Amino acid sequence: MNRIEKNKVGNPRLLVFLLTLLVILPMLATDVYLPALPFLQESLSTNQANVMLTLTAYMIGYSSSLMISGVISDRYGRRPIILAGIAIFAAASVASIFIESIGGLVLLRFIQAFGGGSATLLARVVVRDLFDCNDQVRILSYLSAGLALSPTAGPILGGMLVEGVGWRGTFVFIAAFSLILFTLAFLLLRESHTHCKNKLSLLDTLIELRLLGTHREFIAYTLIISLAWSIYFSFIASSSFLLQQYFDLGPVAYGFSFSAVIIGYIAGTVFTRKRGAHTSLDSLIRRASILVLLASSLMLLFSALEVINLFFLLLLVAVILFGVGAIFPATQVAVMRPFKSNFGLVAGSFYAIEMFFGAITGGILGLFKSISPLIASCMMAIAALLMYVTIRIMLPHK
């Protein structure tokens, strides 16, 4: 790292800590919220499909935010967009505490994600702005591992809040967290993008997007991470109803069960961090996809035969998430390597498509009246198969 980069980074450890919190923010709003879903259904006198719609709306808002914030951050800088996004997120979180209708909550969840998505995207773009390729793999792996803190601790905390003060308590916590993070970002975050454009040209953006749509490597890695996210989100979206209603767990027990499987995801990110410097990223992605396909197929088989129990289901999900955890940081680094400019646009498009796949997954799950192991495992297995086929076609052995 040269002297200019060091001046922009400041204290590297403090910067990585702040970037980790920024990455965590949008997902924490889902992970803390998950244990509340069955109780939300009863409190707002609605059905499971409408409750699932709050997750789908969140993914749509998330996807929209990633695309827009990436583009405008190339023009106006990373710092002001991050601060504006956190402020929007905090305002929607506060309003959600007092909401009385499921329709209003769906709208607020969209707004919440629209604000928070900029934080998780631009934290990664800041890494690309300031660090070289080798450091990027290491730091993005740290961010991915830090991101795992949200699904590890979030559902447990959410379960305790639901049991202690009700589902609105989850939004009280989320609002407080976002306000504290806004203060830290305002005080500590420096601008990392020193070549901002003065004018936002829609024509230039459309031309750049068209070029991205023909870039083979961008398409390949975007499809891979999007399908990997579909696998991950299939479990996230179905887990609350699956574990609390199908397997009859309480909110806190659900939180601990959910957190247990995230160990697999953390191990996957650690595996990529350790092996990324010694093995090609494409090779890591191929091997992880095979593991995910085998484990999800086994989960589907036992679910179809109705011989799967809670422990075996969680074990298989942990194995699947190990593969997903290995794929995420590998694709995040690989997709940026061919590009020398417009990092916000590239990253925004990459993550926006990923989150849009999550919205599609949530929408499909919302079509079912109740969630069973067969439905969840079927969704995960189909996404795993599509991911494996994509890798075979678009990442051939060199």
Side-chain angles (χ1 to χ4, degrees), residues 2-3 12 34-35 40 48 61 89 118 140-141 158 192 221 238 249 251 274 299 312 332 369 375 391 398:
N2 60 38
R3 183 176 299 172
L34 286 176
L40 184 76
Q48 188 178 114
F89 179 96
S118 63
L140 285 173
S141 295
S192 64
Y221 294 120
S238 63
L249 296 181
K274 298 292 186 182
M299 181 176 164
F312 192 44
Q332 288 164 6
K369 292 183 178 180
I375 292 172
I391 291 170
K398 298 179 181 179

Side-chain angles (χ1 to χ4, degrees), residues 50-342:
N50 287 336
V51 173
M52 292 287 287
L53 191 58
T54 64
L55 296 176
T56 302
Y58 195 86
M59 287 299 106
I60 295 173
Y62 205 168
S63 177
S64 303
S65 173
L66 294 170
M67 176 63 73
I68 294 172
S69 62
V71 172
I72 61 178
S73 76
D74 282 338
R75 271 69 178 182
Y76 302 115
R78 320 304 187 199
R79 185 177 187 273
I81 308 305
I82 289 174
L83 293 176
I86 301 174
I88 293 171
F89 179 96
S93 300
V94 171
S96 297
I97 299 171
F98 307 101
I99 201 69
E100 295 292 343
S101 69
I102 189 65
L105 184 59
V106 169
L107 176 61
L108 286 174
R109 289 284 291 172
F110 173 86
I111 296 172
Q112 192 182 41
F114 186 80
S118 63
T120 192
L121 166 71
L122 297 181
R124 295 180 174 104
V125 176
V126 168
V127 173
R128 181 62 182 79
D129 287 340
L130 299 180
F131 299 95
D132 61 28
C133 286
N134 290 332
D135 285 335
Q136 286 173 40
V137 175
R138 178 174 54 85
I139 293 171
L140 285 173
S141 295
Y142 286 140
L143 296 190
S144 294
L147 184 60
L149 293 175
S150 175
T152 301
I156 297 174
L157 176 61
M160 293 178 177
L161 289 170
V162 170
E163 283 198 347
V165 297
W167 65 267
R168 297 180 191 276
T170 62
F171 286 106
V172 173
F173 171 81
I174 294 166
F177 183 90
S178 60
L179 290 170
I180 292 170
L181 181 56
F182 178 87
T183 303
L184 290 175
F186 183 82
L187 294 175
L188 301 176
L189 186 65
R190 304 178 186 179
E191 180 56 61
S192 64
H193 188 39
T194 56
H195 303 288
C196 304
K197 300 178 182 179
N198 293 324
K199 294 183 179 180
L200 179 62
S201 170
L202 178 60
L203 179 60
D204 288 345
T205 300
L206 292 176
I207 292 172
E208 291 163 358
L209 287 173
R210 183 181 64 82
L211 293 175
L212 279 183
T214 62
H215 196 288
R216 181 182 176 87
E217 288 180 86
F218 175 82
I219 295 171
Y221 294 120
T222 301
L223 286 176
I224 292 166
I225 198 171
S226 298
L227 290 165
W229 176 248
S230 291
I231 297 167
Y232 188 95
F233 193 72
S234 293
F235 178 69
I236 289 178
S238 63
S239 63
S240 185
F241 295 104
L242 181 64
L243 300 184
Q244 292 191 80
Q245 293 185 344
Y246 188 90
F247 287 105
D248 199 28
L249 296 181
V252 176
Y254 159 74
F256 279 102
S257 298
F258 187 97
S259 300
V261 303
I262 300 301
I263 295 174
Y265 176 85
I266 297 173
T269 64
V270 172
F271 179 79
T272 294
R273 186 171 72 246
K274 298 292 186 182
R275 299 296 303 167
H278 309 288
T279 306
S280 75
L281 295 177
D282 285 359
S283 179
L284 280 175
I285 292 169
R286 288 191 201 96
R287 294 172 186 175
S289 71
I290 294 172
L291 177 65
V292 171
L293 180 59
L294 290 175
S296 60
S297 299
L298 190 61
M299 181 176 164
L300 176 59
L301 174 62
F302 281 90
S303 297
L305 295 175
E306 297 184 347
V307 294
I308 194 165
N309 58 33
L310 177 60
F311 175 79
F312 192 44
L313 181 141
L314 295 178
L315 178 62
L316 287 174
V317 171
V319 174
I320 292 168
L321 294 189
F322 175 90
V324 170
I327 289 170
F328 276 7
T331 52
Q332 288 164 6
V333 173
V335 75
M336 299 297 290
R337 284 184 172 177
F339 301 97
K340 304 301 181 185
S341 62
N342 296 319

